[in-house]
Amino acid sequence: MLADYARCVQAFEALDAHAELAVSLGALAYYKMLHTGQPQLALAERAVAAARQSGEQLTYLSSLRELGTMLATEGRHADSMRVMDEALALGREIGERNELGLMLHRIASSALDHGDLDRASAASREALDLMTVAGEDRGAAYCAVLVSQVDLALGDAGAALARAEKALNVFEGLGERRGTVRALAAVAEANLALGLVETVIDLAAGALENYADAGDAAAEERLRAALTEARRRA
């Protein structure tokens, strides 16, 4: 996948196809970060520049989203929120439900990572509502996993577990491996908070073995951390 996106970048750059270049750069930045766990700021900045040249609002919105994500991953929360707020305002102006839901999901994820639980809760729940109303089962499941993580951070492990397990069932039904491993991480963390260490050990060890190729480094790291803590408690 990464090689394919890299080839698209080269081709669209040679053609001066700014919108297509921006989309390819944004996708390459996002998936490279997912696979490696490392932010791809330079790629995201190139995507924004190309999108600005294209003059296409949706392309510019998606490029801002990826730039905000990379800034958040680098720990630059204030810069990330500034970029994401610009993208969110544009998304509300355009009114495209799926893009707005994805933008809110990224905002919630960044806010959660930086301890801003009020914003994480509001944004993740709005994103889930948007995806649910749109009938986007896959997108709604990703949002549900994030809401589960927020619930856990707010101290409601029972609600977190129920929501993560529901999302897990959706992902398994869709054959969505990346979503499955992300949901499994949320299920493991909720079970750990509930003190069910043997369940966590079995679940996390199996997930790490069976989904090593899912391409979500952050979820794998969360599973490893849950497994290590569960074994320590056991």
Side-chain angles (χ1 to χ4, degrees):
M1 177 188 291
L2 294 179
D4 291 337
Y5 280 125
R7 283 193 290 271
C8 287
V9 166
Q10 292 178 341
F12 290 132
E13 196 164 32
L15 292 169
D16 282 332
H18 299 301
E20 293 82 357
L21 174 60
V23 172
S24 299
L25 282 165
L28 180 60
Y30 180 66
Y31 286 109
K32 194 169 184 179
M33 183 194 70
L34 274 185
H35 280 268
T36 66
Q38 300 299 314
Q40 306 295 318
L41 187 58
L43 289 172
E45 288 174 335
R46 287 174 61 195
V48 170
R52 191 178 290 114
Q53 283 186 282
S54 77
E56 295 188 8
Q57 283 189 312
L58 276 176
T59 302
Y60 186 56
L61 168 60
S62 66
S63 298
L64 286 174
R65 182 182 66 235
E66 302 309 334
L67 177 57
T69 301
M70 299 309 148
L71 288 167
T73 307
E74 286 200 337
R76 295 168 59 182
H77 185 55
D79 290 336
S80 171
M81 285 297 102
R82 175 181 52 77
V83 171
M84 288 188 176
D85 281 342
E86 180 184 352
L88 181 60
L90 180 57
R92 294 195 189 282
E93 179 184 328
I94 295 171
E96 209 287 324
R97 185 178 286 133
N98 288 352
E99 283 293 331
L100 183 57
L102 184 52
M103 189 66 245
L104 286 162
H105 182 281
R106 296 288 181 86
I107 287 172
S109 181
S110 176
L112 177 62
D113 287 344
H114 291 85
D116 187 350
L117 297 185
D118 287 341
R119 184 164 194 175
S121 181
S124 63
R125 294 175 205 282
E126 184 181 355
L128 177 57
D129 288 345
L130 282 168
M131 291 296 185
T132 301
V133 169
E136 292 286 345
D137 292 344
R138 177 178 175 275
Y142 274 105
C143 292
V145 170
L146 185 54
V147 174
S148 168
Q149 292 176 257
V150 174
D151 284 341
L152 185 59
L154 290 169
D156 194 343
L161 179 59
R163 201 179 293 274
E165 287 180 334
K166 184 176 179 180
L168 177 61
N169 289 335
V170 173
F171 285 131
E172 288 179 335
L174 293 172
E176 175 80 8
R177 291 178 63 79
R178 182 162 58 86
T180 297
V181 74
R182 193 172 294 189
L184 284 168
V187 170
E189 290 166 341
N191 274 297
L192 186 63
L194 291 167
L196 303 173
V197 294
E198 296 299 332
T199 298
V200 175
I201 290 170
D202 291 342
L203 185 151
L208 287 168
E209 179 180 353
N210 296 323
Y211 291 92
D213 63 342
D216 194 326
E220 290 176 24
E221 181 57 33
R222 288 167 54 207
L223 282 164
R224 281 191 288 271
L227 179 58
T228 297
E229 178 60 18
R231 283 173 171 166
R232 186 191 69 78
R233 294 187 193 180

